[in-house]
Amino acid sequence: MTTPILIDTHAHINFNEYDSDREEVMERAFNSGVGKILHSCCRINEIETLLKLSKQFNGNGFSDLYIAVGVHPTEFHSWDNESESEILAILDKELAQPDHKIRAIGETGLDYYHCTTGAEQEKQREIFNKQIELAKRFQLPLIIHTRDAESDTLNILEAHFKNTKSDRNGTIHCFTGSQDFALACIELGFFISWSGILTFKSSKSLREVAKVVPLEKTLVETDCPFLAPQAQRGKRNEPSYVNYVAEQLSEIKGLGKTEIMNITTQNAEYLFKI
Ligand code: NI
């Protein structure tokens, strides 16, 4: 019997919060059962570092690190005319390598909490649409960030995916939305990913949503260094803490943690081919 593992499907290990102990963090993740991590990407100028990190952390005592490529909605100003061709060139080159570890486009999406003007939101929608086109072109799943923008996010996803039959279109990362939104996204071929927010004392209604979301459509993540779970709240978050999210989910679903580990890992392996 193989030992169950967890997959942290959303982390930012390149951030300078880890500059002094990145290897220890990755070792600690591995030793806590986190066999694989998917590293999200916020800006094009991070990609080179992510490619390096994905080579450095390759199992062998560390969690195996896979990466995404994309531009975060709040980083929309970093996207210019050349960005699209730059990302295209990177994907063309890297995806041709037999041992590449690029497994998703993202994180992309809409963030109307941080960007409140019509012009900013328009630009976010524009680069969201462009990244969805990239994902379709390279047949990669999307990592979607959405905040205070459920209805526009859903409209855009419907426009692109309503008539596709794929159940591997991506994930709604760090889910904080409504039950209706979760179920509509699942209908469009997306998974729902829970972060440490699920463990917060104040997240009672979110736990109600998690009760309804089918386990076979569920992923777990940390979004570290942000959003440390309740038990570590206020501290720097790290991939090993995805264990707290799995424990919370096991309580919500009334199932053993091993079962939660097995199913969410199977889901992440299926969605991201990792
Ligand atoms: Ni993130």
Side-chain angles (χ1 to χ4, degrees):
M1 223 177 87
T2 50
T3 322
I5 61 158
L6 270 168
I7 300 182
D8 180 359
T9 61
H10 196 109
H12 299 273
I13 299 300
N14 63 328
F15 282 20
N16 51 25
E17 278 88 343
Y18 302 110
D19 280 354
S20 62
D21 63 347
R22 190 167 285 107
E23 292 198 3
E24 284 124 81
V25 166
M26 290 297 285
E27 210 169 30
R28 199 149 56 229
F30 181 80
N31 292 332
S32 75
V34 182
K36 300 172 194 176
I37 296 171
L38 181 60
H39 198 307
S40 191
C41 176
C42 298
R43 304 168 70 108
I44 298 176
N45 65 10
E46 287 179 334
I47 297 173
E48 211 174 307
T49 308
L50 302 195
L51 289 166
K52 274 190 207 139
L53 289 173
S54 74
K55 289 197 174 81
Q56 181 187 354
F57 298 116
N58 219 340
N60 290 328
F62 300 113
S63 301
D64 204 358
L65 190 69
Y66 294 84
I67 60 173
V69 165
V71 175
H72 193 285
T74 61
E75 300 286 340
F76 67 88
H77 47 80
S78 74
W79 183 287
D80 58 24
N81 289 336
E82 284 133 51
S83 299
E84 210 173 339
S85 37
E86 211 177 317
I87 292 198
L88 265 176
I90 292 168
L91 288 170
D92 272 332
K93 180 174 169 237
E94 294 302 327
L95 295 178
Q97 312 293 323
D99 56 349
H100 79 85
K101 295 173 88 180
I102 297 176
R103 291 298 189 274
I105 298 292
E107 52 190 297
T108 178
L110 303 175
D111 191 321
Y112 293 173
Y113 176 82
H114 286 107
C115 301
T116 52
T117 72
E120 290 172 318
Q121 297 177 357
E122 175 66 38
K123 179 84 178 163
Q124 288 190 348
R125 288 192 292 274
E126 183 193 323
I127 73 166
F128 184 23
N129 275 300
K130 285 187 170 163
Q131 293 181 82
I132 294 175
E133 291 300 341
L134 275 177
K136 286 170 148 176
R137 175 167 173 169
F138 291 96
Q139 293 183 300
L140 288 168
L142 285 153
I143 298 173
I144 292 179
H145 169 111
T146 178
R147 191 157 178 203
D148 287 359
E150 281 189 10
S151 118
D152 280 2
T153 300
L154 198 55
N155 285 340
I156 290 175
L157 294 182
E158 273 177 354
H160 286 276
F161 298 109
K162 200 162 185 174
N163 298 314
T164 66
K165 291 213 168 61
S166 172
D167 59 354
R168 291 184 64 242
N169 291 330
T171 175
I172 312 298
H173 115 81
C174 195
F175 193 86
T176 53
S178 67
Q179 178 180 318
D180 286 352
F181 181 58
L183 297 178
C185 291
I186 290 169
E187 194 65 30
L188 292 167
F190 285 80
F191 286 72
I192 303 300
S193 181
W194 303 107
S195 69
I197 293 179
L198 195 66
T199 68
F200 290 178
K201 275 196 195 112
S202 53
S203 296
K204 214 169 159 228
S205 57
L206 199 61
R207 287 188 282 276
E208 291 302 315
V209 179
K211 232 180 239 176
V212 177
V213 170
L215 208 48
E216 57 274 19
K217 293 292 173 188
T218 295
L219 304 172
V220 287
E221 66 169 77
T222 56
D223 201 13
C224 67
F226 314 112
L227 300 170
Q230 186 68 43
Q232 303 289 342
R233 202 149 179 198
K235 293 192 195 154
R236 178 190 70 175
N237 199 359
E238 60 172 68
S240 63
Y241 295 172
V242 77
N243 278 283
Y244 292 105
V245 183
E247 280 152 23
Q248 180 67 70
L249 208 49
S250 113
E251 213 172 284
I252 292 170
K253 294 292 192 187
L255 295 166
K257 187 182 169 198
T258 303
E259 199 165 345
I260 299 291
M261 290 173 86
N262 284 336
I263 297 172
T264 57
T265 291
Q266 206 178 307
N267 295 343
E269 287 174 341
Y270 173 72
L271 177 63
F272 299 114
K273 297 188 177 165
I274 57 181

